[in-house]
Amino acid sequence: GAGVSQTPSNKVTEKGKYVELRCDPISGHTALYWYRQSLGQGPEFLIYFQGTGAADDSGLPNDRFFAVRPEGSVSTLKIQRTERGDSAVYLCASSLVGLAGGPIEQFFGPGTRLTVL
Amino acid sequence: SQQGEEDPQALSIQEGENATMNCSYKTSINNLQWYRQNSGRGLVHLILIRSNEREKHSGRLRVTLDTSKKSSSLLITASRAADTASYFCATGLMDTGRRALTFGSGTRLQVQP
């Protein structure tokens, strides 16, 4: 079946602009995650959805970042007043929910490379 | 912030040789996972080891976990050029209400044909 897809694959914007990044998770996966990866680093957690609600948004760096998942499937990460430091690859992942809260692997999309000029 | 640190940061070997990568982490964990990433894009899950397990195998992969030392190792045997990628360890915390993974900074593996 189809994996996690993300659009656009690349986004170039100017400082101060607003951007939206989209994630389509694997069908049936109730858990969805957003990560951000800077060059030469591992992914850093931003936010986790269980269904429609944000169960953990502790990784969002500030209030310019916001994410929604209104119908429990597709999610949009929104960044207001972009800054050059926001440039990174934004990765989305989805997963099933493990039994009794146990560990579960996450399936990652190819990412959106955001460049803020 | 990164939870773990991989060692070495970069590794270059010849095809057929074994590659060993190490990961250290800081807090108590529920599980540890290894992922591979090609071309700086999507990550692919390789293997998951729970905190009550000490060793796990999957094909040419062998993972060990030492919770007393807060460390793990990934061994790739009989490496191939196609194994060239970055490898990351990722930890899941004891608090299962927090399902986010915390990644290390990765090891860049280059397998020379």
Side-chain angles (χ1 to χ4, degrees), chain A residues 19-86:
Chain A
V19 296
E20 289 189 351
L21 311 178
R22 176 188 168 105
C23 172
D24 280 88
I26 292 172
S27 178
H29 281 191
T30 57
L32 185 146
Y33 316 77
W34 283 98
Y35 294 85
R36 177 169 72 172
Q37 186 176 23
S38 300
L39 190 64
Q41 299 295 313
E44 290 189 296
F45 168 72
L46 295 176
I47 187 169
Y48 154 61
F49 287 89
Q50 179 53 47
T52 60
D56 182 357
D57 65 357
S58 61
L60 294 178
N62 52 59
D63 61 6
R64 295 187 298 106
F65 289 74
F66 188 71
V68 296
R69 195 185 186 199
E71 298 178 358
S73 177
V74 171
S75 177
T76 304
L77 178 66
K78 308 180 180 191
I79 310 174
Q80 298 177 320
R81 305 184 303 280
T82 52
E83 300 177 356
R84 293 193 179 88
D86 298 335

Side-chain angles (χ1 to χ4, degrees), chain A residues 35 37 48 56 101 103 106 110, chain B residues 31 35 37 41 98-99 101:
Chain A
Y35 294 85
Q37 186 176 23
Y48 154 61
D56 182 357
Q106 296 180 15
Chain B
N31 68 93
Y35 285 79
Q37 185 176 41
R41 285 302 184 104
R98 181 138 194 270
R99 295 184 177 280
L101 293 174

Side-chain angles (χ1 to χ4, degrees), chain B:
Chain B
S1 62
Q2 307 282 185
Q3 152 81 308
E5 293 292 331
E6 277 92 339
D7 169 51
Q9 290 186 336
L11 179 61
S12 182
I13 60 174
Q14 295 293 318
E15 223 172 9
E17 293 180 340
N18 295 343
T20 299
M21 288 160 269
N22 302 296
C23 166
S24 61
Y25 57 90
K26 298 172 185 173
T27 63
S28 295
I29 62 170
N30 172 279
N31 68 93
L32 186 144
Q33 304 180 34
W34 285 90
Y35 285 79
R36 183 185 72 214
Q37 185 176 41
N38 293 88
S39 306
R41 285 302 184 104
L43 289 91
V44 174
H45 180 266
L46 296 176
I47 196 165
L48 180 155
I49 186 165
R50 290 173 169 74
S51 58
N52 60 355
E53 297 176 312
R54 291 296 168 259
E55 187 171 314
K56 203 160 184 180
H57 297 254
S58 177
R60 293 183 296 114
L61 306 180
R62 172 178 170 258
V63 168
T64 63
L65 179 64
D66 186 335
T67 53
S68 66
K69 295 182 179 178
K70 291 188 169 58
S71 68
S72 173
S73 68
L74 171 67
L75 169 67
I76 304 174
T77 60
S79 64
R80 305 166 182 168
D83 295 329
T84 294
S86 291
Y87 291 81
F88 295 90
C89 68
T91 52
L93 299 182
M94 289 296 291
D95 175 5
T96 55
R98 181 138 194 270
R99 295 184 177 280
L101 293 174
T102 306
F103 286 82
S105 52
T107 292
R108 290 179 298 283
L109 174 64
Q110 177 76 40
V111 181
Q112 306 286 351

